[in-house]
Amino acid sequence: MKIFKFGGTSVGSAERMKDVARLIGADGAPKIVVLSAMSGTTNTLVEISDCLRNHDSDGADKATDELSRKYLGLLDRLYDTEAYRQEARKLVEERFDVLRSFMKQPFGALEEKIVLAQGELLSTGLMHLYLRETGVRSVLLAATDFMRIDRHAEPEPPFIKEQLTALLAKYPDDRLFLTQGFICRNADGAVDNLQRGGSDYTASLIGEAVQAEEIQIWTDIDGMHNNDPRYVENTLPVRRLHFDEAAELAYFGAKILHPTCILPAKRNGIPVRLLNTMQPEAVGTTISNETEEGKIKAVAAKDHITAIRIKSGRMLLATGFLRQVFEIFERHETPVDVVTTSEVGVSVTVDNGKHLDGIVNDLRKYGRVTVDRDLAIICVVGDLKWDNVGFASRIVNALQDIPLRMISYGGSNYNVSLLVQASDKQKALQALSDHLFNTPSLQCNKELRIENE
């Protein structure tokens, strides 16, 4: 069995929903299809929730009416028969009745989760009806019947496997199943969501539960590119990535995939393919546990980075200093991205400045603290083991005209991270593309190769 996941842009219009229906119904092979909400829907649902939380019933009512009109206007373009239009109209009205039920009652976190779930319920319901109209048999499974998180907001794989296996067993003759991405239930049984990675995470967890042959993530771009196409010209999709390479790229800025969502696939050795709904014939990117030796694969960038340097004579020959420093970040619930150390200092980067003032005040107990803002992390990913002579020097030489605030190398076999000023980010990305992907490859004793060869 294969798992197909389609993002919001892939189901963002009647025409694209029809394209998705053709993709999933063409071969008759067994598959579970995970759908996101139509593009723009979740943002509007967040807007509605904000209005309700702030007691702005007029704003919530206006946003709800606009979204309702968008969905009702979709029906004439999606369905050919009046009977199915009527059935779809009833579905849409029921979903929006749920939204309007919150207009005149107290609104909190539990209610917001129900509001945010309506987008996926709409997209899967409308797709299920369209498949029926076109003669394709499918089963609509409610994600809230099998997807559950614990009290730490982490998924529960044993529960998911048990419940999903039991559900699928009820339909031994069916081969096409639809379900919602993103939404789930929590430990108290209330409607909740997976947050990180959303629908991608759902697809990966389902793949783990059924031991899928493959997980396909369909978006509006033909795989993960070797650089950010928003800033760099002539980027190319990377055909193959190791799970760790993909996770590094996703964490450090490649928006096509969330780093968390591939963990279930990685631990079960299930290949993940990134494909383009608008160009289904494109090869895309395959992510697996296989490593291609001697290749630099891709570059990504992470914005809104702050660097914190702690310099202290107490660090010299001392034990426990780093532990004390990192306990401060733990107390303030602030993850650290990149770390470099010397005998008398340590520099770290964070991408969340919410607790920065408190962190700096606590760190000053141990030494002099310097804070640099408006930075970006440039991440270069590939087979970057320490004995691959020539790899690190080519990366650094590409940035010889750009000031480097920090360099992190050796913490991973797949990543070199460089910290630059945000104003130099685009220049750095282009320089790395020019030196790593757009010039003849550099031969070294590990046969350095560039991905676009």
Side-chain angles (χ1 to χ4, degrees):
M1 179 175 282
K2 294 183 179 181
I3 313 302
F4 286 48
K5 177 265 175 179
F6 292 92
T9 55
S10 297
V11 292
S13 67
E15 292 71 25
R16 289 186 175 177
M17 291 184 80
K18 291 177 180 180
D19 290 339
V20 169
R22 282 190 287 270
L23 281 169
I24 63 179
D27 59 5
K31 57 179 71 71
I32 299 175
V33 178
V34 178
L35 298 184
S36 297
M38 285 180 62
S39 56
T41 298
T42 301
N43 287 341
T44 303
L45 294 174
V46 170
E47 178 187 347
I48 292 168
S49 297
D50 289 342
C51 288
L52 292 172
R53 192 183 303 106
N54 294 320
H55 310 290
D56 180 9
S57 57
D58 289 340
D61 194 53
K62 180 181 177 182
T64 300
D65 287 345
E66 289 178 356
L67 189 61
S68 175
R69 284 194 294 271
K70 173 184 175 180
Y71 275 90
L72 291 173
L74 172 81
L75 306 185
D76 285 340
R77 300 189 300 275
L78 183 58
Y79 302 100
D80 291 331
T81 63
E82 186 58 30
Y84 275 94
R85 289 192 198 104
Q86 290 293 342
E87 195 168 350
R89 188 171 291 111
K90 180 181 177 182
L91 166 67
V92 171
E93 289 172 349
E94 286 175 351
R95 293 295 108 209
F96 280 90
D97 284 345
V98 172
L99 295 181
R100 293 188 177 95
S101 70
F102 295 112
M103 299 294 178
K104 298 185 184 300
Q105 67 179 60
F107 190 85
L110 292 176
E111 290 76 17
E112 180 178 12
K113 300 295 177 57
I114 297 172
V115 167
L116 296 181
Q118 301 311 304
E120 281 74 16
L121 294 171
L122 280 162
S123 61
T124 50
L126 293 174
M127 178 63 75
H128 181 54
L129 286 176
Y130 179 74
L131 290 170
R132 277 175 46 195
E133 186 184 44
T134 55
V136 178
R137 182 183 173 97
S138 65
V139 176
L140 180 58
L141 302 176
T144 48
D145 285 344
F146 62 87
M147 192 64 60
R148 190 173 76 178
I149 55 176
D150 60 21
R151 296 197 181 279
H152 303 287
E154 294 295 332
E156 298 186 73
F159 177 89
I160 295 167
K161 180 176 182 178
E162 178 184 355
Q163 297 301 312
L164 183 56
T165 301
L167 280 174
L168 295 174
K170 295 180 179 179
Y171 307 97
D173 299 326
D174 287 282
R175 301 172 72 79
L176 176 58
F177 300 87
L178 300 179
T179 194
Q180 303 83 30
F182 181 60
I183 63 177
C184 62
R185 291 194 185 275
N186 58 30
D188 296 319
V191 173
D192 213 312
N193 59 65
L194 295 173
Q195 298 182 17
R196 302 162 302 175
S199 297
D200 291 351
Y201 207 4
T202 299
S204 191
L205 289 163
I206 290 174
E208 177 180 46
V210 303
Q211 287 298 293
E213 171 190 347
E214 182 180 81
I215 299 166
Q216 298 184 3
I217 308 294
W218 291 80
T219 66
D220 57 355
I221 188 170
D222 51 341
M224 193 173 287
H225 278 225
N226 61 5
N227 211 321
D228 193 329
R230 295 172 300 176
Y231 303 103
V232 177
E233 296 180 351
N234 303 319
T235 64
L236 294 170
V238 182
R239 292 187 179 181
R240 293 173 294 278
L241 286 170
H242 186 276
F243 278 116
D244 290 340
E245 292 172 334
E248 296 277 11
L249 288 170
Y251 184 78
F252 285 106
K255 302 299 183 184
I256 190 174
L257 194 67
H258 192 284
T260 305
C261 79
I262 59 175
L263 290 177
K266 177 186 176 182
R267 62 181 174 241
N268 289 272
I270 303 170
V272 176
R273 293 181 66 199
L274 308 180
L275 297 163
N276 188 348
T277 312
M278 276 57 83
Q279 290 182 278
E281 70 283 355
V283 176
T285 300
T286 298
I287 306 169
S288 69
N289 278 318
E290 295 181 6
T291 299
E292 289 186 284
E293 293 190 358
K295 274 195 174 183
I296 292 179
K297 295 292 189 66
V299 179
K302 190 174 187 180
D303 297 318
H304 310 299
I305 301 299
T306 298
I308 306 168
R309 175 188 294 158
I310 309 100
K311 186 175 181 180
S312 173
R314 295 170 59 184
M315 187 175 174
L316 187 63
L317 301 178
T319 59
F321 180 83
L322 288 177
R323 173 183 57 79
Q324 293 169 330
V325 167
F326 285 106
E327 281 179 348
I328 291 172
F329 289 92
E330 181 180 7
R331 282 201 304 274
H332 290 279
E333 299 180 341
T334 301
V336 169
D337 289 326
V338 177
V339 181
T340 61
T341 64
S342 71
E343 290 187 2
V344 293
V346 56
S347 289
V348 303
T349 69
V350 298
D351 63 0
N352 182 351
K354 182 178 180 181
H355 303 294
L356 185 60
D357 290 343
I359 291 170
V360 170
N361 286 336
D362 288 349
L363 289 173
R364 282 181 176 141
K365 301 172 186 175
Y366 300 100
R368 184 161 57 89
V369 179
T370 304
V371 176
D372 295 326
R373 295 178 171 83
D374 298 321
L375 302 170
I377 295 173
I378 307 293
C379 167
V380 182
V381 161
D383 177 25
L384 293 166
K385 294 188 290 292
W386 67 272
D387 56 345
N388 286 343
V389 177
F391 282 56
S393 63
R394 187 164 190 178
I395 293 167
V396 174
N397 287 340
L399 304 177
Q400 60 183 337
D401 297 325
I402 298 172
L404 300 179
R405 169 67 173 77
M406 288 171 61
I407 301 175
S408 177
Y409 178 37
S412 162
N413 286 333
Y414 299 100
N415 172 32
V416 174
S417 295
L418 309 107
L419 189 64
V420 303
Q421 294 176 344
S423 57
D424 287 328
K425 182 186 79 169
Q426 184 168 354
K427 182 180 177 181
L429 291 175
Q430 187 64 61
L432 286 165
S433 267
D434 292 342
H435 283 73
L436 300 180
F437 308 128
N438 300 333
T439 58
S441 63
L442 171 69
Q443 295 299 317
C444 65
N445 64 355
K446 282 287 183 130
E447 296 187 10
L448 171 62
R449 293 173 289 141
I450 305 305
E451 173 58 29
N452 63 350
E453 292 181 332

